[in-house]
Amino acid sequence: MLRKSYFWLLFLASSLLSEEAYGGNPPNFVVMLMDDLGWGDLGCFGEPGRETPQLDRMAREGVLVPAMYASAPLCSPSRAALLTGRLPVRNGFYSDNDLGRNAYTPQDIVGGIADEETLLSELLQQAGYVSAVVGKWHLGHQEKFLPLQHGFDSYFGSPNCHFGPYDDVTTPNIAVFRDNKMVGRYYEKEFDFPGHVSNYTRLLTEEATSFIRARAADAKPFFLFWTPDSTHAPTYADVQYVGKSGRGRYGSAVQDLDAGVGAILDELDRNGLSNNTLVVFSSDNGAALVSKTQGGSNGPLLCGKQTTFEGGMRVPGIFWWPGTIPAGTTTDQVWTHMDFLPTFLELAGVALPQNLTLDGLPLSNTLLHPELHISRSVFLYRGNLLMAVRDGPYKLHLWTWATPPHLLEIDDDFCPGQRQPNVTTYNQVNHTDNPILYDVVADPAERYQISNTSSVYKTVVPQLLALVEQHVNNLQLAEPQLNWCDDAVMHWAPPGCEELGRCLTPPPSAPHLCYWDH
Amino acid sequence: MSLLHLLMVSLCFSRLVVLSVELKQYKEKENMSNGSVSLTVSDERKNFISYNLEVESNDKAQRRSNNSVYPNVVLFLVDDLGYGDLGISGHPTSRSPAIDRLASQSKIFTHFYVTSPVCSPSRASLLTGRYQVRSGIYPGALGADNPRGLPLNETTIAEILKKKGYRTLIVGKWHLGVGYEGEYLPAHHGFDDYLGVPYSHDMCPCYACFPDKPCEGGCSTSHVSCPLFSNTTIIEQPMQLQSLTGKLVDKAKQFLKDSAQDDAPFFLYMPFMHVHHPQFSSEEFSGKSARGIFGDALLELDHSIDTILQTLDTFDLADNTVVWFLSDNGPSLRRHEGGGCAGALRCGKGTAWEGGVRVPAFVRWPGHIGPSRTGELLSSLEVLPTIAALTGADTSGLKLDGFDASDFLLDKTSESPREYFAVYPMDPSQETGPHAVVYRHLKAHFFTIGDLLSDDQNYDEICTSRHLLTEHNPPLLYDLSVDPGERWNVANDTSFKISLIEMTAWRQAHMVDMTWMPSVTNDHDKYSEPCCTDHYCEPFPSCCDCPLK
């Protein structure tokens, strides 16, 4: 009943697809993935100040996706899911040290993306694409985990969050890499951020535009993964945006990114590539509401980063491909980042490896034909715990957990001003026997629970629970990669530090189980 | 019994004495202020307008009489539309393509307030350019059985434009009173003609909101059926909700067509019944939106606006017409999915929080105003003086609270004329005055009170009716530029200390300067209810329904 079958339309569209547009040239792909940018942070998503003219233009010329879901409410697992097309529990980007905790790749993490995982970059590389990561990687910082070992041809940026500055004694500053070699550290010399001012986003933009120019010159299809981190705390912006935003320091960072987006789109235009390039803009998770006035906005949505409520998982989504996808449209299609991999392969005419289990769906038809709508389920995890499922207009919470008490005590609130009894719970609460149901189409803010005595509830909940059962039964858990921590693996002496004369001495190795506190 | 009766009479009498004294003071004050705030069209404006005339093609200029060098005015007022309800304001599910397109051609005000979080007071201010406490349109809204209305000595936009030779039409929800003999209807406030329901359509019994669905949530069953007025005559009672929008739009279309044919300047005021509870729509839009009944009603609203804009295009009127869009107050959150959405803003209808009084608003005048956006502070009080300036209408002798923002709209200056704004609660009193003051991007709450309209199940306790009137000293202070949702109080941040002192002082001066007209909204008399037959008929109220033809 929930699922309407659109397969005949899908078939029709697929047959059109092969004859449409490409004339034999595989399309290029640009994924712009922001850091902690919220659903409500862009003008085209209703941010009151409307300070993102380039992104608003991108939306006017492309397709706006109000129902784009990240695959985890935190950076590393979200990014790993995007690049593998698989949920973190399937690709190993989780921890089972404790139940349902958000884990990521801080400096002392031992793990990273497993060799067995097949990344979008690897599949495209096999098909002759040239791929680059420009910005934050966050899939592990030891050499074997870096992008060049996982299908990318070049890399400029940092593998970690830009926390700091550190003293280089108890903790080293995060390294910035070019390809497999460190070229500096955050907060030091060329990558310093005095007073939250830095040209780093501009550097990342210039890296991206020169990569595009190089591909225009060698006429090779490309995949650019542009991942600036300036909207993650501590936020920073180029000097020309300081004091220019009504939204303070965070707004300046958004303006800086907006200009970068504009520069990249312009570069595609200048090189005659925009008609053959699909550009996607999104964010790794919802806005970090713990940053208060220095952070982003999730608009009307409930809670933020770290949670599986809409504010943690629903993120901005814009697709842009002039001449191929219709301009100025808004799609009702529910997307996840995990759909990028199969969708891109479909557009590139590359076959999926046969034994690869994906959580994403190929959805290119819904981009080319916005009237199409493909039914699908979205499973929302916090760590190794399946918290909620969305299918059709409904979202069912099996478990709830907002902010743990020890963080509330220090005024770090994932759901400020949004106290819903039995929903924004301070502890993990298992609702499986009496799950909480919302209609997130009519009620995207998850304000109004559908009563468990209503006929809708009685009809829908068993159907959703059946989907959950099916999902759980078919899920093959990967070996967790984020269980172990060790101070010795920090950025003491990354490859390349010798040439710079900036190697630090690591402490003796002392592996221990990581503590994930939320 | 007789003693009690005597006591009541004496109480009433003393109240009358107080009333007349207040009225006298009010009139004296009004007279004193005459002239000092008169607004006239500056020479600069005249030059600007004549310059624009010269560059127009000759034949087009020839077709215009002297009067029509000034633009026509269309004012769209949506009912209970929240800050986060439109496609352009970032609702995840809403679709409002025509309104979004109009906005994209307009100057968008992202920081725009109405003067009250409920209907009637907000409308009184919009049409008069004066805070509602001056006209007595408080507390709350005018009910079906309220015999009073907007005082006849108030001057509306329609009146000043009519004096200027404009044709004036209102279609939709008036909500500024009917009176025993229709003495407060639009006809007595400057409108040549009227088609619509004079108050909210939940103040009368509601039966059929959609072709296949009953009305969701309750309507009043103790009052007369909803009347549909044609000027001062009831032509339908009960009014049919599903066919209402079509009639209103047709009336407006005919008005535009006639005005175009006669080359007459016009003012079209369209206060929609949408998207007030209970949601309704004709068959064409029922079940068509993903958002449910609210989305269906929004689609019908969007289509109405699209039709009017297309009519302007058809008759070549768009270039010479100022179109102003706004909402009367924030969303009725108590209606849950059947009500609107305030987006990132706090609380909704009935409260002085941003969700109650900050509304979507934008203005289009092709070639003159927009497309652009501004975060400068503006309010519905500015509508009358600004339209007056753009049309050359005379506002001398009026004591206005609004500013002429025409230079700002025409991009002659980048700064709004408004620096401060007083936010009155739903139920204002002279003792507590405005509950909040906005100064540029700062907002200070001196008092807070929640309201049922913002939903007693709201996850934000301060929005609910359980949050009783609370004084804040120091006031709660929010920096709206970085915190539009009013989450983080910065009253203790020393960098705002001077601003807070200035806001407190401004509020005190505002309170001293304000003239309060006694409330007119609390009177009730069932014999004043609009009645197609006879007020004294039996059995009341059903006997008031128009006889079947």
Side-chain angles (χ1 to χ4, degrees):
Chain A
M1 186 175 167
L2 284 176
R3 298 185 162 277
K4 291 180 189 166
S5 177
Y6 288 92
F7 283 123
W8 67 274
L9 284 172
L10 194 64
F11 173 76
L12 180 72
S14 301
S15 59
L16 292 172
L17 193 64
S18 50
E19 289 154 33
E20 242 168 1
Y22 324 120
N25 285 339
N28 309 303
F29 303 106
V30 177
V31 175
M32 302 169 162
L33 189 72
M34 305 301 111
D35 206 342
D36 289 1
L37 187 83
W39 192 94
D41 272 329
L42 310 183
C44 53
F45 281 92
E47 195 285 310
R50 293 175 187 270
E51 295 181 345
T52 52
Q54 296 299 332
L55 282 154
D56 298 352
R57 159 176 82 109
M58 185 178 172
R60 272 199 310 280
E61 296 171 358
V63 176
L64 196 70
V65 191
M68 172 71 79
Y69 285 88
S71 310
L74 213 73
C75 322
S76 302
S78 169
R79 287 156 196 261
L82 186 154
L83 287 173
T84 58
R86 288 148 60 82
L87 282 165
V89 281
R90 225 189 277 275
N91 68 31
F93 254 60
Y94 72 105
S95 162
D96 59 7
N97 292 350
D98 284 297
L99 179 70
R101 303 298 177 106
N102 290 310
Y104 69 110
T105 56
Q107 278 211 64
D108 59 349
I109 195 77
V110 174
I113 190 70
D115 261 349
E116 301 79 56
E117 286 301 314
T118 308
L119 272 60
L120 173 59
S121 44
E122 292 171 276
L123 295 167
L124 289 174
Q125 197 173 47
Q126 287 159 18
Y129 277 68
V130 179
S131 300
V133 181
V134 177
K136 180 169 167 178
W137 171 240
H138 229 190
L139 267 64
H141 60 274
Q142 300 194 63
E143 194 172 356
K144 61 184 171 183
F145 301 128
L146 290 178
L148 265 57
Q149 283 66 259
H150 293 273
F152 286 97
D153 300 286
S154 65
Y155 172 42
F156 176 76
S158 163
N160 287 82
C161 280
H162 60 283
F163 292 128
Y166 297 114
D167 59 4
D168 279 350
V169 178
T170 53
T171 308
N173 275 318
I174 305 286
V176 176
F177 282 76
R178 179 170 293 286
D179 299 334
N180 275 328
K181 284 187 175 175
M182 165 179 146
V183 291
R185 294 179 191 273
Y186 273 116
Y187 303 101
E188 293 177 16
K189 299 180 182 170
E190 59 277 53
F191 301 119
D192 201 2
F193 298 78
H196 300 279
V197 176
S198 168
N199 65 349
Y200 190 65
T201 299
R202 213 177 68 218
L203 289 180
L204 298 181
T205 304
E206 284 164 7
E207 282 288 326
T209 52
S210 67
F211 175 79
I212 289 166
R213 280 193 301 277
R215 297 296 77 77
D218 65 19
K220 287 187 174 157
F222 64 84
F223 167 42
L224 169 62
F225 190 38
W226 189 62
T227 57
D229 61 358
S230 59
T231 41
H232 188 295
T235 62
Y236 60 86
D238 192 78
V239 65
Q240 62 176 305
Y241 300 104
V242 174
K244 291 300 189 310
S245 166
R247 302 181 67 197
R249 217 173 74 202
Y250 182 86
S252 300
V254 175
Q255 288 178 320
D256 198 358
L257 292 173
D258 184 66
V261 169
I264 291 169
L265 298 184
D266 288 346
E267 194 66 50
L268 291 170
D269 275 338
R270 258 197 302 279
N271 290 280
L273 293 168
S274 45
N275 285 335
N276 198 36
T277 303
L278 174 63
V279 184
V280 191
F281 180 92
S282 195
S283 176
D284 62 348
N285 46 249
L289 301 184
V290 295
S291 295
K292 301 186 172 69
T293 58
Q294 306 276 7
S297 162
N298 297 316
L301 306 180
L302 184 63
C303 301
K305 182 179 177 180
Q306 291 106 351
T307 77
T308 47
F309 299 107
E310 292 293 278
M313 303 292 290
R314 221 196 253 221
V315 289
I318 307 172
F319 286 98
W320 183 88
W321 189 353
T324 299
I325 62 176
T329 50
T330 302
T331 177
D332 289 329
Q333 177 64 43
V334 175
W335 277 82
T336 77
H337 289 161
M338 296 179 291
D339 305 327
F340 295 173
L341 184 147
T343 300
F344 291 4
L345 293 188
E346 184 179 61
L347 288 167
V350 176
L352 277 169
Q354 287 201 332
N355 53 358
L356 185 62
T357 306
L358 292 180
D359 292 291
L361 293 174
L363 295 175
S364 53
N365 304 297
T366 68
L367 284 178
L368 305 169
H369 309 281
E371 69 281 5
L372 286 183
H373 178 263
I374 293 172
S375 246
R376 61 99 50 83
S377 310
V378 182
F379 297 94
L380 296 92
Y381 279 82
R382 183 155 165 175
N384 61 348
L385 185 59
L386 178 59
M387 305 286 291
V389 57
R390 175 171 175 181
D391 193 276
Y394 299 110
K395 183 172 172 186
L396 190 74
H397 291 272
L398 302 165
W399 285 75
T400 55
W401 192 20
T403 322
H406 72 279
L407 291 176
L408 272 183
E409 269 171 34
I410 56 166
D411 204 21
D412 268 2
D413 193 341
F414 303 161
C415 311
Q418 300 171 319
R419 297 266 170 276
Q420 295 217 55
N422 207 32
V423 176
T424 56
T425 54
Y426 305 138
N427 297 300
Q428 291 170 330
V429 176
N430 186 350
H431 300 277
T432 311
D433 291 339
N434 190 13
I436 293 167
L437 184 69
Y438 292 101
D439 176 342
V440 290
V441 170
D443 172 28
E446 293 172 289
R447 277 173 177 264
Y448 315 119
Q449 289 185 39
I450 296 174
S451 161
N452 60 7
T453 57
S454 68
S455 62
V456 170
Y457 187 95
K458 286 173 184 162
T459 314
V460 165
V461 170
Q463 293 175 0
L464 288 170
L465 288 175
L467 290 173
V468 167
E469 193 184 346
Q470 192 186 3
H471 167 77
V472 171
N473 288 342
N474 292 333
L475 180 68
Q476 201 167 3
L477 277 177
E479 189 68 27
Q481 301 297 314
L482 307 180
N483 276 357
W484 290 93
C485 288
D486 185 349
D487 281 2
V489 304
M490 290 185 175
H491 292 237
W492 302 104
C497 71
E498 303 88 349
E499 290 166 42
L500 297 173
R502 286 160 79 178
C503 299
L504 302 168
T505 310
S509 174
H512 58 91
L513 287 173
C514 311
Y515 172 61
W516 305 114
D517 71 338
H518 54 69
Chain B
M1 170 73 187
S2 62
L3 198 69
L4 187 68
H5 195 230
L6 205 71
L7 189 70
M8 277 174 70
V9 168
S10 67
L11 269 175
C12 285
F13 181 70
S14 64
R15 180 71 194 139
L16 272 176
V17 172
V18 173
L19 254 173
S20 67
V21 171
E22 279 173 357
L23 261 174
K24 188 159 172 274
Q25 286 171 343
Y26 161 74
K27 281 183 176 157
E28 275 169 9
K29 272 203 179 174
E30 295 298 284
N31 289 338
M32 267 162 53
S33 61
N34 277 358
S36 60
V37 285
S38 70
L39 289 156
T40 51
V41 184
S42 67
D43 287 339
E44 199 180 289
R45 159 88 54 255
K46 284 175 186 154
N47 291 339
F48 170 78
I49 290 163
S50 60
Y51 166 78
N52 275 283
L53 250 189
E54 279 161 27
V55 297
E56 280 183 333
S57 66
N58 280 338
D59 65 318
K60 202 169 175 180
Q62 270 170 4
R63 274 193 286 118
R64 293 186 179 181
S65 65
N66 256 353
N67 240 348
S68 66
V69 301
Y70 295 108
N72 309 304
V73 179
V74 174
L75 181 55
F76 292 130
L77 181 71
V78 187
D79 205 344
D80 289 3
L81 182 77
Y83 195 79
D85 270 325
L86 298 172
I88 52 135
S89 54
H91 192 280
T93 319
S94 275
R95 299 290 181 268
S96 49
I99 300 173
D100 292 358
R101 194 164 51 247
L102 174 63
S104 71
Q105 298 160 351
S106 301
K107 189 176 186 93
I108 300 174
F109 309 120
T110 67
H111 196 189
F112 188 97
Y113 291 96
V114 289
T115 62
S116 172
V118 284
C119 303
S120 300
S122 172
R123 285 155 201 259
S125 294
L126 170 69
L127 289 184
T128 63
R130 292 151 54 81
Y131 283 108
Q132 62 274 21
V133 298
R134 293 190 194 275
S135 54
I137 305 297
Y138 70 89
L142 290 158
D145 59 353
N146 190 297
R148 302 177 69 184
L150 184 69
L152 298 175
N153 63 351
E154 290 289 332
T155 305
T156 67
I157 300 173
E159 282 174 87
I160 62 166
L161 289 178
K162 192 177 164 73
K163 265 191 210 153
K164 184 77 191 161
Y166 278 62
R167 294 181 179 186
T168 55
L169 173 70
I170 163 177
V171 288
K173 172 172 158 182
W174 167 241
H175 219 181
L176 288 171
V178 176
Y180 287 102
E181 301 297 331
E183 62 268 28
Y184 293 109
L185 283 170
H188 305 285
H189 282 291
F191 287 98
D192 299 332
D193 202 359
Y194 173 44
L195 182 68
V197 182
Y199 42 78
S200 303
H201 57 286
D202 67 340
M203 293 179 166
C204 27
C206 52
Y207 313 102
C209 286
F210 297 94
D212 52 348
K213 287 190 289 274
C215 300
E216 209 162 281
C219 298
S220 167
T221 51
S222 55
H223 296 299
V224 296
S225 304
C226 296
L228 179 65
F229 275 84
S230 173
N231 208 7
T232 53
T233 309
I234 296 173
I235 56 165
E236 217 179 85
Q237 192 173 15
M239 164 273 296
Q240 302 300 315
L241 271 175
Q242 287 170 47
S243 59
L244 176 67
T245 308
K247 288 176 189 154
L248 299 180
V249 170
D250 285 348
K251 176 82 178 177
K253 275 169 72 178
Q254 188 62 42
F255 172 73
L256 295 176
K257 187 181 171 192
D258 293 346
S259 301
Q261 275 171 359
D262 301 345
D263 200 14
F266 62 84
F267 170 48
L268 170 61
Y269 174 43
M270 287 192 85
F272 294 94
M273 310 300 289
H274 290 126
V275 283
H276 192 288
H277 158 83
Q279 303 303 334
F280 68 94
S281 86
S282 60
E283 186 158 17
E284 190 180 351
F285 304 99
S286 177
K288 293 298 185 325
S289 84
R291 202 180 157 184
I293 55 169
F294 187 95
D296 293 350
L298 186 63
L299 281 182
E300 186 168 76
L301 167 77
D302 194 69
H303 182 259
S304 306
I305 287 179
D306 197 30
T307 307
I308 298 303
L309 296 176
Q310 279 182 24
T311 308
L312 291 177
D313 289 337
T314 303
F315 296 109
D316 198 22
L317 295 165
D319 285 350
N320 197 36
T321 302
V322 175
V323 178
W324 200 315
F325 176 102
L326 77 161
S327 172
D328 67 341
N329 48 248
S332 185
L333 299 179
R334 70 181 290 212
R335 303 296 172 185
H336 291 190
E337 295 96 323
C341 169
L345 306 185
R346 193 167 197 181
C347 305
K349 185 175 179 180
T351 77
W353 295 94
E354 291 290 271
V357 289
R358 187 170 173 179
V359 295
F362 40 86
V363 180
R364 180 188 85 172
W365 183 13
H368 303 281
I369 300 172
S372 61
R373 68 187 156 77
T374 173
E376 289 278 301
L377 178 61
L378 272 177
S379 79
S380 58
L381 294 168
E382 274 71 79
V383 175
L384 182 144
T386 303
I387 285 177
L390 294 173
T391 57
D394 182 17
T395 59
S396 60
L398 299 182
K399 163 77 177 166
L400 296 174
D401 293 307
F403 296 96
D404 166 11
S406 57
D407 280 355
F408 176 63
L409 265 53
L410 294 163
D411 288 329
K412 290 183 183 178
T413 166
S414 61
E415 284 189 8
S416 163
R418 180 172 288 284
E419 269 196 314
Y420 288 93
F421 181 70
V423 184
Y424 283 89
M426 193 170 86
D427 182 2
S429 77
Q430 245 171 309
E431 291 69 42
T432 59
H435 279 192
V437 168
V438 181
Y439 168 62
R440 296 187 172 182
H441 59 96
L442 295 176
K443 184 172 174 189
H445 291 263
F446 296 81
F447 290 90
T448 53
I449 183 169
D451 192 81
L452 176 70
L453 292 167
S454 273
D455 188 14
D456 278 358
Q457 292 170 45
N458 199 311
Y459 53 53
D460 194 346
E461 182 69 18
I462 211 163
C463 309
T464 72
S465 64
R466 292 182 298 278
H467 180 72
L468 305 175
L469 183 67
T470 307
E471 185 168 9
H472 300 280
N473 190 11
L476 303 173
L477 184 70
Y478 299 95
D479 180 351
L480 301 174
S481 58
V482 293
D483 180 21
E486 298 173 285
R487 295 277 165 228
W488 295 287
N489 180 12
V490 292
N492 293 325
D493 184 333
T494 50
S495 60
F496 297 119
K497 199 176 167 186
I498 292 171
S499 294
L500 196 51
I501 291 168
E502 285 172 352
M503 291 165 86
T504 307
W506 183 87
R507 178 169 172 272
Q508 274 159 3
H510 173 89
M511 285 173 74
V512 169
D513 185 51
M514 185 49 63
T515 312
W516 288 66
M517 168 86 174
S519 159
V520 307
T521 61
N522 279 336
D523 293 3
H524 300 281
D525 182 353
K526 72 172 189 172
Y527 295 115
S528 75
E529 294 196 28
C531 189
C532 191
T533 57
D534 173 9
H535 285 124
Y536 297 96
C537 67
E538 291 290 344
F540 189 84
S542 60
C543 63
C544 276
D545 288 3
C546 295
L548 292 170
K549 281 169 194 164

